[in-house]
């Protein structure tokens, strides 16, 4: 998925064109952005804040304060609840228990004969040595021993013995009264492994209810302070994609044992799945800290921390970053299965099929017999799906399902992958099959409902697109989209003028989702995606551009947003998804065909002034591993800037030739040398020189040798002059100095409490000319001209002077139709019906469900005698407000007018 950059500022309320209050909110001036050169700030690398550890349950504190506890009992309680003191770990057995809790599986104590054999066995299984674990389990008849024995046998490929061990657990759970909460939790984990290996032992729904009942009994009746039942519950709920309740159960676990690495690990994986990478990194740091806890080290290299970090990089399509993390972890833990599975996935994400096959074979070789685990196949298929390699993903997920037909995860992942690939019928069949194994999975339930609903959606089709929407008011927009989409296709796929010169092999489907929740489910299977449109290859999903409950950003320019996503569809298809992250984003922003806004220019100017522009390695890292809050925004903006430089210096074909090399697997360095005749380093040097010249042209950087505004003001100042007079004197000597003009405008506005007046017109016009990328002069001038008193000379049209400034602002606006609405009014009043109509349609495009916008468009069309356009807008009004008879009357009147004209 290539998420569109979310812009969450809210638009001004819509009002009827003609009311100057329409623009009040947007034209109210905040202080100008400071001059980038004189106020550039180098932001320090920002590490994620330490994760907040849940507060220890007060009941544990009260228990430890009881006077009847012997020192040994108090020590055992502290150890059990993860709050031990250094002096508590005075034997290998006690140290081994702490090491297992914190996932320090390699600790010397876990090799000691004095340690509990079950603790030693569990550590061996986690390290990837199940054969060595089995002899340690021979003398125990506990449910924990049975569960560990079955896990070891499963890892070794011994299906028959693993099955018998699990059957004995099931019989014990059914026939015996379990009185220990920890044993009950172990029995439940064994039953879950049995379901994965053999399927439901009765019925999937009944089995789930039985398990939740057992966990509730362990948690609420057997021992309210036991943390292991809550951990088992969290793992169970997470496997059902029930994130909210899974997180709650994991937090409850940590309130009873803040050192429980397994609970932290679970929360880390959940954060990665929700694309919350700052939290996942904080949790990984916590796991490193726990791994060093009993060795008096600040941190240690936790394999579970490496697992979370690597998974985060794979989710962000940074295979190299994942490999960098996994390599030292596997050097330390070469047989740990979870790490090996992720390493195979990283090889697949690197488009290295030979290495992928070799690593899958190495994973399977850990079994003494026919391998039972499809974990590595699953991770490879899942990662390939994230990288939009849907056909190849299907190969590995099918193999995973064939190997473990009773494990729901690969089947679920395949269903979600097929949905992203646009194979909805297959996806629905697959998810229905998954539901028989896992009837309570939230993602399956969400996606099954959505795909079933999609089958009822209305379809509108053109040469290159299919638009689908829920019957109802969204059909208004869906019908309107096709002509605009075809024009967009012609632009994006054109062989010249910066187009990609490529047509996707299949029609692109645009799913117009009725609200943000359904949009998120369409993309990820779960609600909560923080953007309003995204492409998954042949599918582009977009949230309906509407206000109200259930919508993330309200109205927005859907065509600009979809053009960005469609460019991803085209570039990824042309390169078979083998394209640097920065380059596909750069092409998508370039083909939005929208000028940079002031904030983007300031961001680029600040980065240039601070020598913080990204080189061609750093820019990719900035997308996936941002170290400053501005890194991702800068990566989008700078990538676009570099793409523009390539087009302007090397021609329209240069980016396309680079894409063709990327598609062949040519490394970027070699591609640059072949196409551009430059190394990447030389390209970056040349780009920076060009970028500096652009900043000067934009008034965002002073020409070399030009004194800055601060020094000029200081030179002009004297004890007799106020600061405002010093600024005025400096500006008299340097009337077109961009920094001085910005400071003068800011000072004048501060003096007028932010409200510009006509006396500022000359200053603002000069500022607009000297700083052509600064929105502040345009906002101020538009406000002055729109609120000015009518001139004495009727021929002097003061209000019309606002038009170029409103056009400047409208070209950069994504969310508000206010500028376009005001322009439509101004053009209509001056008889420019064509421009008025164009602006009215832009208003409707941004706010398609706003009745006032539709009414305005209809009125302008009628004045222009474009009765078909007026008819369309009135029919849309009837659909938007079906209870208003006035719209039907207007339509009838229009038909009469058209007939008589």
């Amino acid at each position: 998925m290539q998420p569109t950059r979310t812009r969450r500022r809210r638009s001004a309320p819509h009002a009827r064109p003609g009311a100057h209050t329409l623009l009040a909110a947007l034209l109210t001036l905040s202080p100008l952005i400071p001059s980038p050169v004189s106020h550039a700030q180098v932001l320090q690398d920002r590490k994620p804040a330490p994760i907040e550890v849940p507060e220890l349950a007060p009941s544990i504190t009260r228990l430890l304060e009881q006077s009847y506890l012997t020192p040994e009992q108090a020590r055992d309680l502290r150890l059990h609840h993860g709050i031990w003191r250094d002096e508590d770990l005075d034997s290998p057995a006690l140290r081994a228990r702490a090491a297992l809790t914190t996932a320090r599986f390699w600790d010397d104590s876990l090799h000691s004969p004095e340690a509990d054999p079950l603790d030693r066995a569990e550590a061996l299984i986690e390290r990837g040595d199940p054969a060595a674990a089995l002899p340690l389990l021979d003398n125990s008849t506990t449910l924990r021993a049975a569960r560990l024995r079955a896990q070891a046998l499963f890892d070794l490929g011994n299906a028959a013995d693993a099955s018998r061990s699990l059957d004995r657990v099931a019989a014990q759970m059914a026939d015996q009264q379990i009185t220990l909460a920890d044993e009950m939790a172990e029995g439940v984990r064994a039953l879950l492994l049995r379901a994965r290996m053999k399927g439901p032992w009765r019925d999937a729904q009944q089995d789930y209810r039985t398990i939740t009942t057992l966990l509730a009994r362990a948690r609420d009746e057997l021992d309210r302070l036991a943390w292991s039942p809550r951990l088992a519950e969290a793992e169970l709920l997470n496997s059902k994609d029930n994130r909210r309740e899974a997180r709650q159960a994991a937090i409850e676990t940590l309130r009873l044992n803040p050192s429980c690495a397994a609970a932290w690990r679970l929360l880390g994986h959940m954060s990665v799945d929700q694309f919350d990478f700052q939290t996942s990194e904080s949790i990984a740091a916590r796991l490193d800290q726990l791994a060093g806890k009993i060795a008096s080290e600040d941190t240690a290299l936790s394999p579970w921390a490496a697992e979370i970090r690597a998974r985060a990089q794979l989710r962000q399509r940074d295979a190299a970053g994942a490999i960098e993390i996994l390599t030292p972890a596997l050097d330390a833990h070469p047989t740990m299965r979870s790490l090996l599975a992720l390493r195979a996935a990283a090889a697949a994400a690197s488009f290295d099929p030979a290495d992928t096959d070799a690593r899958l074979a190495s994973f399977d070789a850990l079994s003494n017999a026919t391998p039972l685990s499809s974990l590595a196949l699953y991770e490879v298929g899942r990662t390939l799906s994230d990288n939009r390699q849907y056909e190849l993903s299907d190969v590995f997920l099918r193999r995973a399902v064939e190997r473990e037909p009773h494990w729901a995860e690969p089947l679920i992942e395949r269903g979600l992958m097929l949905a992203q690939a646009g194979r909805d019928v297959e996806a629905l069949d697959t998810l229905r099959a998954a539901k028989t194994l896992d009837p309570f999975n939230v993602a399956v339930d969400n996606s099954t409902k959505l795909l079933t609903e999609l089958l009822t959606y209305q379809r509108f089709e053109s040469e290159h697109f299919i638009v689908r929407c829920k019957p109802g008011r969204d059909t208004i927009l869906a019908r309107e989209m096709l002509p605009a989409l075809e024009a967009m296709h012609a632009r994006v796929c054109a062989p010249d003028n910066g187009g990609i010169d490529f047509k996707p092999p299949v029609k692109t489907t645009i799913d117009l989702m009725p609200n943000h929740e359904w949009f998120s489910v369409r993309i990820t299977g779960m609600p909560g995606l923080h953007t309003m449109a995204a492409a998954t290859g042949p599918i582009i999903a977009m949230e309906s551009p509407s206000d109200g409950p259930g919508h993330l950003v309200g109205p927005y320019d859907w065509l600009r947003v979809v053009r960005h996503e469609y460019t991803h569809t085209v570039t990824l298809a042309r390169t078979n998804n083998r394209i640097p992250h920065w380059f596909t984003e750069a092409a998508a922003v370039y083909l939005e065909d929208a000028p940079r806004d002031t904030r983007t220019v300031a961001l680029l100017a600040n980065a240039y002034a601070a020598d913080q522009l990204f080189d061609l390695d750093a820019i990719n890292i900035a997308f996936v591993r941002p170290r400053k809050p501005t890194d991702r925004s800068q990566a989008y903006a700078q990538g676009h800037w570099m793409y523009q430089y390539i087009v302007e210096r090397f021609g329209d074909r240069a980016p396309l030739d680079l894409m063709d090399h990327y598609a062949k697997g040519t490394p970027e360095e070699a591609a640059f040398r072949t196409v551009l005749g430059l190394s990447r380093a030389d390209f970056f040097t040349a780009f920076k020189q060009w970028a500096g010249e652009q900043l000067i042209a934009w008034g965002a950087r002073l020409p070399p040798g030009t004194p800055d505004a601060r020094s000029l003001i200081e030179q002009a100042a004297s004890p007799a002059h106020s600061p405002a007079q010093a600024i005025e004197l400096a500006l008299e000597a340097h009337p077109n100095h961009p920094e001085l003009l910005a400071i003068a405008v800011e000072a004048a506005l501060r003096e007028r409490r932010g409200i510009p007046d006509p006396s500022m017109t000359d200053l603002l016009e000069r500022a607009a000319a000297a700083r052509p990328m600064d929105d502040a002069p345009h906002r101020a001038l538009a406000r002055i001209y729109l609120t000015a008193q009518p001139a004495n000379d009727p021929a002097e049209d003061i209000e019309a002077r606002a038009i170029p400034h409103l056009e400047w602002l409208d070209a950069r606006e994504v969310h508000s139709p206010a500028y376009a609405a005001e322009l439509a009014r101004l053009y209509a009043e001056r008889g420019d019906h064509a421009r008025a109509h164009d602006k009215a349609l832009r208003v409707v495009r941004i706010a398609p469900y706003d009745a006032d916008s539709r009414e305005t468009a209809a009125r302008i069309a009628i004045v222009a005698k474009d009765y078909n356009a007026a008819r369309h807008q009135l029919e849309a009004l009837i659909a938007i407000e079906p209870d208003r008879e006035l719209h039907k009357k207007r339509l009838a009147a229009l038909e009469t007018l058209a007939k008589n004209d």
Side-chain angles (χ1 to χ4, degrees), residues 21 268 284 359 368 538 563 706 776 844 847:
T21 55
R359 292 186 180 279
N368 292 338
R563 189 186 297 123
T706 303
V844 167

Side-chain angles (χ1 to χ4, degrees), residues 658 661-662 665-680:
L658 286 171
H661 279 280
Y662 298 147
T666 306
E668 190 171 55
E669 176 69 23
F672 266 52
R673 288 182 181 275
T674 300
V675 176
L676 308 182
L678 295 172
S679 68
R680 297 196 311 159

Side-chain angles (χ1 to χ4, degrees), residues 499-520:
I500 306 303
D501 194 16
F502 181 85
K503 296 180 181 179
V506 298
K507 290 186 179 184
T508 300
T509 298
I510 314 286
D511 283 337
L512 177 58
M513 308 313 296
N515 53 47
H516 185 69
E517 180 180 5
W518 268 147
F519 157 70
S520 298

Side-chain angles (χ1 to χ4, degrees), residues 380-400:
V380 167
R382 178 184 183 182
T383 300
L384 287 168
S385 175
D386 282 346
N387 284 268
R388 294 194 191 81
Q389 302 292 316
Y390 297 128
E391 291 185 12
L392 198 54
S393 169
D394 199 23
V395 170
F396 288 100
L397 290 174
R398 280 179 179 273
R399 288 173 59 187

